[in-house]
Amino acid sequence: MNETRSGRSRDLTSGPIASTLLIFALPVLGANVLQSLNGSVNSIWVGRFLGEAALAATSNANLVLFLILGTVFGIGMAATILVAQSVGARDWAHARRIVGTSATFFFAISALFAVCGWIWVDGILGLLGTPADALPLARSYLRILFIAVPAANLLSFLMTVLRGAGDSRTPFYFMLMAVAFDIALNPLLIAGIGPFPRLGIAGSAASTLIGQVVSVAALLVLLYARKHPLTLAGADLALLRPDPKLLRIVVAKGVPMGLQMIVISVAALTIMGLVNSYGSRVTAAYGIAAQLWTYVQMPALAIGAAVSSMAAQNVGARRWDRIDRITLAGVGFNMVLTGVLVAVLYLFDRPVLGLFLAQDTAAIDIAEHVNDMASWSFVLFGITIVLFATVRATGAVMPPLIILVFSVLLVRTGFAYWMRDIMGEDALWWSFPAGSICSLLLGLAYYRFGGWRSMHMIEQERPAAGEAPDTGLGVPRERAGLGLDAPEDTTP
């Protein structure tokens, strides 16, 4: 396995597949765990200091934030896949063009959503049917989170692009920085401890804002100090002006991937609306269970991200012989890791649930029931995530979107809505297994019989015959510090 002298970027196109995938995925998993831990600890602070209504408010607000992040997720993923394919082809100049065009468009869209969200926050919360006792708290919390959206999205964009270039460790360190600031400042700003003002629930959102801004600023400083091959300096700053041809590719591939996140978000918001109809106690219970589910899904999301980067680099390097083995390794890791977490959650869910609310609250009983009925389905959905990660690495983005629309938006929400009269609240929790089984069956069918292997996002962007690509090794030494060595074996 080849690495640069910096040891930070990794060649994903050669060497053993399973160990390379696991080593690359572990920092991604660590970053995801940190992000989820951040949300959980914040919920603990809010629940302990401010009570059930405040916890219900954060549950509603976080779903809205997830929807906002999902709208720009696709642009970041499209850019990451394009960067990974370019790095696999050893064309760093093209990778920088992708970064410049995507970064400008990405940040502009993030700023637009932040402004619109701030203006229409009441309408958004009204559409969710946010409980009346939680509405003022949710408004205060969400407005500050909207201010944080551009910084949070830029940090996410930089981390995913670095992973596409083969570096999963640097993103982990800066996620750790953001989470450390957020967790440390949360109780100080909520309760007004020491010299800090007492901001209540707004303090929890303000700590998130500070953590994201500090982390993204520090990451940019580090990348420019290292003269990373993907940084834009000097004449390359002109690449921040979007290239229409590249922008069309990024948007054409990114919008369907973003819509995948929006489909999941809309389904979650629909379920949340149904949950809200049962009152703040059920909403708080569901919010607690959802916090635990984020941990259960972490291995699949991390492995999926690693599979996507690894598969995209191999597509760029024309190593199609490795693609199926990458997918199989990802599915195997997901089944083991997610399965273990589900088993642990079944055994120890009540003590963990007790961290969020007092032991004698009826909300814990409801949350335990919700978890028992739904958590096992995330093993199945994790396999689907890995399959989608492989096919989207080639640019096949519409079939996964169609599958999710059918299985998550129609099957899951339809089951929850129409079966309530027969099953009561349990219909909401059983809707998760129903959607996961459907998405897995359709995902397996497309992976086996679909035409995704004929796709290639940068085919039209490859160097002309006789033109040597920018490998990251032929550029000035100060720009090649984090490039990749030539692969050990590039034969098909």
Side-chain angles (χ1 to χ4, degrees):
M1 188 185 309
N2 292 327
E3 294 185 58
T4 62
R5 283 185 291 271
S6 71
R8 295 183 180 90
S9 291
R10 186 175 295 276
D11 178 10
L12 304 178
T13 64
S14 61
I17 288 175
S19 60
T20 300
L21 179 64
L22 183 60
I23 291 170
F24 186 80
L26 286 176
V28 183
L29 176 59
N32 290 345
V33 169
L34 284 172
Q35 197 166 19
S36 296
L37 178 65
N38 187 29
S40 297
V41 172
N42 289 356
S43 294
I44 291 172
W45 289 127
V46 169
R48 291 290 186 178
F49 278 113
L50 303 173
E52 286 183 4
L55 190 59
T58 61
S59 296
N60 279 265
N62 286 333
L63 276 176
V64 175
L65 183 63
F66 183 74
L67 177 61
I68 297 297
L69 296 176
T71 58
V72 293
F73 165 83
I75 303 300
M77 278 305 306
T80 298
I81 291 168
L82 283 165
V83 166
Q85 289 189 2
S86 298
V87 170
R90 302 299 185 264
D91 190 351
W92 284 91
H94 187 256
R96 288 192 291 275
R97 290 197 296 273
I98 296 163
V99 169
T101 291
S102 303
T104 300
F105 184 72
F106 194 85
F107 189 79
I109 293 295
S110 299
L112 176 63
F113 275 106
V115 171
C116 292
W118 173 277
I119 294 172
W120 292 311
V121 62
D122 286 336
I124 294 169
L125 292 172
L127 287 174
L128 277 180
T130 304
D133 57 344
L135 184 59
L137 296 169
R139 181 191 300 114
S140 299
Y141 183 79
L142 190 53
R143 274 192 162 153
I144 296 178
L145 285 187
F146 278 129
I147 300 175
V149 162
N153 280 347
L154 182 58
L155 179 61
S156 175
F157 174 79
L158 293 175
M159 292 194 303
T160 56
V161 166
L162 287 174
R163 289 168 185 157
D167 179 6
S168 61
R169 278 182 282 176
T170 300
F172 168 77
Y173 298 140
F174 284 88
M175 178 55 66
L176 177 61
M177 176 185 292
V179 169
F181 271 99
D182 197 349
I183 290 177
L185 291 175
N186 235 275
L188 302 179
L189 292 176
I190 290 175
I193 298 173
F196 295 92
R198 183 185 180 93
L199 300 178
I201 196 170
S204 180
S207 66
T208 299
L209 170 63
I210 293 169
Q212 297 293 320
V213 170
V214 170
S215 187
V216 73
L219 177 55
L220 285 170
V221 169
L222 179 68
L223 293 178
Y224 276 92
R226 288 178 176 171
K227 296 182 172 61
H228 190 284
L230 293 180
T231 56
L232 305 179
D236 281 345
L237 288 173
L239 299 177
L240 288 170
R241 184 172 63 241
D243 180 310
K245 185 177 181 180
L246 272 179
L247 186 58
R248 282 195 299 271
I249 297 173
V250 170
V251 171
K253 300 299 183 181
V255 167
M257 284 190 282
L259 287 175
Q260 292 176 34
M261 294 293 291
I262 292 176
V263 165
I264 295 173
S265 301
V266 169
L269 292 173
T270 302
I271 297 295
M272 177 60 79
L274 296 175
V275 171
N276 284 336
S277 68
Y278 291 95
S280 293
R281 176 163 288 167
V282 175
T283 300
Y286 175 70
I288 294 171
Q291 286 286 340
L292 299 182
W293 294 347
T294 60
Y295 292 101
V296 171
Q297 295 179 85
M298 286 302 99
L301 294 173
I303 292 165
V307 165
S308 190
S309 294
M310 192 171 185
Q313 282 200 20
N314 280 272
V315 169
R318 302 298 198 268
R319 293 303 310 269
W320 287 95
D321 57 300
R322 292 165 56 87
I323 300 298
D324 283 337
R325 288 183 288 156
I326 292 170
T327 305
L328 288 173
V331 169
F333 285 134
N334 168 73
M335 293 181 68
V336 171
L337 296 176
T338 306
V340 168
L341 287 181
V342 168
V344 170
L345 188 57
Y346 272 116
L347 293 174
F348 303 106
D349 58 349
R350 191 168 189 87
V352 176
L353 291 168
L355 294 173
F356 295 86
L357 292 169
Q359 285 285 353
D360 59 350
T361 180
I364 292 183
D365 294 329
I366 299 171
E368 186 177 17
H369 179 65
V370 171
N371 177 68
D372 289 344
M373 298 184 69
S375 62
W376 63 271
S377 67
F378 292 110
V379 176
L380 307 182
F381 195 66
I383 299 173
T384 307
I385 289 173
V386 173
L387 297 176
F388 285 176
T390 298
V391 302
R392 78 184 179 199
T394 68
V397 293
M398 285 303 298
L401 173 61
I402 294 170
I403 290 171
L404 285 178
V405 167
F406 181 78
S407 62
V408 175
L409 195 57
L410 298 182
V411 173
R412 179 189 294 176
T413 60
F415 188 98
Y417 184 82
W418 293 108
M419 297 299 290
R420 284 186 304 161
D421 292 339
I422 300 173
M423 305 175 66
E425 291 179 23
D426 284 354
L428 304 180
W429 326 136
W430 277 112
S431 69
F432 288 90
S436 295
I437 291 170
C438 181
S439 62
L440 175 58
L441 293 176
L442 294 176
L444 285 170
Y446 179 70
Y447 186 89
R448 175 63 179 84
F449 301 107
W452 57 274
R453 290 174 178 82
S454 63
M455 304 288 291
H456 196 298
M457 290 172 70
I458 62 171
E459 189 69 39
Q460 63 270 56
E461 297 290 332
R462 299 298 294 277
E467 180 184 349
D470 177 359
T471 65
L473 300 176
V475 297
R477 183 175 302 171
E478 67 271 15
R479 287 198 62 87
L482 293 180
L484 298 176
D485 293 340
E488 296 173 1
D489 176 14
T490 58
T491 57

